[in-house]
Amino acid sequence: MSVPTATDPSTRTYRTTNPATGEVVREYPPLTDADADALLIRAHAAYQTWRRTPIAERVRLFRKFIELLEANVDELAALVTTEMGKPLAQSVAEMDMVTSTFRYYADNGEKLLADVETEIAGFTRAITRREPVGVVLGIEPWNVPMYQAMRATAPNLMLGNTVLLKPSEICAGSTLFFDHLFAEAGFPANVYQTALVSTTQVSAYIADDRVRAVTLTGSDRAGSAVGEQASRHIKPVVLELGGSDAFIVLESADVEAAADTAAGLRLFLGGQFCNAPKRVIVTDAVADDFIARYVATFAANTLGDPFDPATTVGPLSSSVAADTLEAQYRDAVDKGATVLVPGGRVDGPGAFFTPAVLTDITPDMRIFSEEAFGPLGMIYRVADAAAAVKLANESAYGLGGTVFGDSNAARDVAQQLDTGMVGINNFLGAPAEIPFGGTKRSGVGRELGASGMDQFANIKTYGIS
């Protein structure tokens, strides 16, 4: 996802600023290089023991961790809302995503890590195993900070790796809470550690032989830098990057269901998630009806305090994020986009952006090719399914997509999309059971499901004669 940075990397500070008020809540002292190395020393030492911990014991600890997540959901959700601004109910939903991820690996860890036997001539049998590799470095963003951190952590801990997790500079507090929960659940010390490190210290980690793999969710610019460094040191890397997912509405679609789904998803988390359907591509035959309902959903939202139950859209994560979206919005309007719902940056404290909807978007506008990370609805009208596929695939991103229409027609369109994921007549999202990831500038590798282990495992085969 294209997440703007608040400061230059060389001066970056871990600071919690309430995006609803602009108030600085807390700052965290930077780690010295010696401090950063001490984290790695502890993670590497913990790996030597954790890798030999029986799977049944790992499962037991996962289930205890789940109990603690459920017991602390209110405090965890409040932390997230304070740090990144989404409505409290959506932060509670994020905790459910964390819990479901750990439950999936607890329920399926033994099966996922079971030996796979294969007959090979000259041997009585061959056994292939997923084995851990060591310390994994996770670099995670701010939009769903706890879920993103744990999406990287859960499969690695079940596999037997240990994790150093670098959070976003604006969401350190919510991620640090996990260090306490893992300890309370009884996990061995240092199998998971939040690392408030600088970009220079991240580079040092990647270069260190004790770090065996890297996973990053963030902008394609950050992904390019981390991917280049990991490749230089010949280390596995998973990059979950930007998205400008298409939501295609065919003439055979249930228009009301399509409009409600598309608008709701564009407003969820304030439009700040990488696999949000950002570009609606609707065929002319149903465009008028679709647009009327989509626009009504946008116009009916309540922008305000994310702790107020009546609020449906909170502030964006930071003033930088709001200013960036405002610049994209104004660029499109100035170049002739039609405004269906007026919106934009709100004057005053906080990082508020009133949700807006645009159509008649042309290639010379920034939002045609850039990822718009916020509640900005973008609608394209096309003649038919072929035109919808062509426009959808013109994006440099290929994370996911959604197609509404008759099942046969929708499947045909879905098969032509150059993406890693696609939902047919529903939004696919990121269920823990299936691989998550994209194509093109959306990144490389997959998280979740069995793939969440495979990316960070030594797939080792034993031939027994």
Side-chain angles (χ1 to χ4, degrees):
M1 62 200 63
S2 299
V3 181
T5 55
T7 58
D8 181 81
S10 63
T11 60
R12 194 170 294 167
T13 301
Y14 286 86
R15 178 187 296 117
T16 296
T17 300
N18 186 332
T21 64
E23 173 194 4
V24 175
V25 177
R26 181 174 176 182
E27 291 192 8
Y28 299 84
L31 296 184
T32 65
D33 290 346
D35 293 333
D37 191 55
L39 292 176
L40 179 52
I41 289 170
R42 293 196 293 266
H44 182 66
Y47 166 68
Q48 308 307 321
T49 301
W50 181 245
R51 65 179 302 189
R52 295 190 294 272
T53 301
I55 295 172
E57 175 63 5
R58 296 178 206 165
V59 169
R60 185 190 71 79
L61 291 170
F62 268 50
R63 298 204 188 283
K64 178 60 178 177
F65 186 74
I66 291 168
E67 291 178 9
L68 292 173
L69 285 172
E70 293 173 337
N72 288 274
V73 64
D74 291 339
E75 185 173 359
L76 289 162
L79 272 171
V80 172
T81 291
T82 298
E83 290 194 321
M84 68 76 57
K86 63 190 167 195
L88 186 61
Q90 296 178 19
S91 295
V92 171
E94 180 179 343
M95 297 309 105
D96 291 340
M97 295 167 67
V98 175
T99 301
S100 67
T101 301
F102 270 84
R103 184 169 287 117
Y104 168 76
Y105 286 105
D107 291 345
N108 295 279
E110 187 171 352
K111 179 176 67 176
L112 291 171
L113 294 172
D115 291 347
V116 177
E117 294 198 18
T118 306
E119 293 184 4
I120 299 177
F123 292 85
T124 57
R125 60 179 179 150
I127 296 173
T128 300
R129 290 178 179 157
R130 292 184 176 97
E131 296 187 353
V133 295
V135 180
V136 175
L137 173 63
I139 305 167
E140 301 301 326
W142 46 257
N143 57 343
V144 271
M146 293 190 173
Y147 168 66
Q148 298 279 14
M150 294 301 100
R151 188 173 79 183
T153 298
N156 276 297
L157 290 184
M158 183 55 70
L159 178 59
N161 292 326
T162 57
V163 176
L164 287 175
L165 200 292
K166 180 205 173 299
S168 163
E169 289 78 11
I170 68 174
C171 287
S174 57
T175 312
L176 279 165
F177 200 97
F178 285 123
D179 296 67
H180 161 70
L181 285 188
F182 279 116
E184 188 175 347
F187 280 80
N190 306 315
V191 297
Y192 169 90
Q193 297 174 90
T194 299
L196 304 187
V197 290
S198 68
T199 52
T200 300
Q201 290 164 339
V202 165
S203 296
Y205 277 164
I206 296 173
D208 195 296
D209 289 341
R210 292 167 294 183
V211 172
R212 294 294 302 275
V214 185
T215 179
L216 173 143
T217 299
S219 68
D220 44 352
R221 189 173 96 174
S224 294
V226 168
E228 186 275 330
Q229 292 175 57
S231 297
R232 190 189 316 148
H233 298 287
I234 317 178
K235 294 184 179 179
V237 61
V238 171
L239 303 173
E240 301 292 356
L241 309 178
S244 191
D245 292 7
F247 190 107
I248 296 175
V249 185
L250 304 175
E251 61 183 66
S252 57
D254 179 334
V255 174
E256 290 188 0
D260 291 346
T261 303
L265 290 167
R266 194 66 187 109
L267 294 165
F268 185 68
L269 300 184
Q272 300 171 106
F273 64 109
C274 54
N275 59 324
K278 298 181 176 73
R279 298 178 296 145
V280 172
I281 304 173
V282 57
T283 51
D284 279 328
V286 294
D288 289 341
D289 290 343
F290 175 92
I291 289 171
R293 192 171 181 97
Y294 184 96
V295 163
T297 299
F298 259 72
N301 270 272
T302 301
L303 184 71
D305 177 1
F307 283 97
D308 185 340
T311 294
T312 55
V313 179
L316 297 191
S317 63
S318 68
S319 60
V320 174
D323 290 344
T324 298
L325 189 64
E326 172 72 6
Q328 292 172 312
Y329 173 63
R330 293 300 167 193
D331 171 78
V333 173
D334 291 345
K335 292 175 179 174
T338 298
V339 179
L340 299 177
V341 177
R345 190 76 159 89
V346 177
D347 291 334
F352 290 95
F353 184 100
T354 301
V357 180
L358 300 176
T359 190
D360 297 322
I361 298 162
T362 55
D364 63 322
M365 299 172 188
R366 290 177 56 185
I367 58 172
F368 186 87
S369 55
E370 295 179 8
E371 180 180 20
F373 218 63
L376 180 57
M378 299 177 287
I379 299 177
Y380 297 79
R381 296 178 67 137
V382 295
D384 52 26
V389 170
K390 182 177 183 298
L391 179 57
N393 286 338
E394 283 180 2
S395 173
Y397 298 104
L399 186 54
T402 306
V403 185
F404 268 66
D406 170 81
S407 60
N408 290 330
R411 287 176 187 168
D412 180 64
V413 167
Q415 289 171 358
Q416 298 177 66
L417 296 181
D418 189 358
T419 63
M421 308 171 288
V422 60
I424 297 173
N425 289 319
N426 202 355
F427 176 60
L428 181 58
E433 300 86 350
I434 60 176
F436 180 95
T439 63
K440 300 187 286 186
R441 294 190 69 84
S442 290
V444 295
R446 295 293 184 268
E447 290 185 322
L448 299 177
S451 298
M453 289 184 173
D454 287 346
Q455 304 291 325
F456 309 106
N458 176 16
I459 309 297
K460 188 174 180 180
T461 299
Y462 299 81
I464 304 168
S465 64

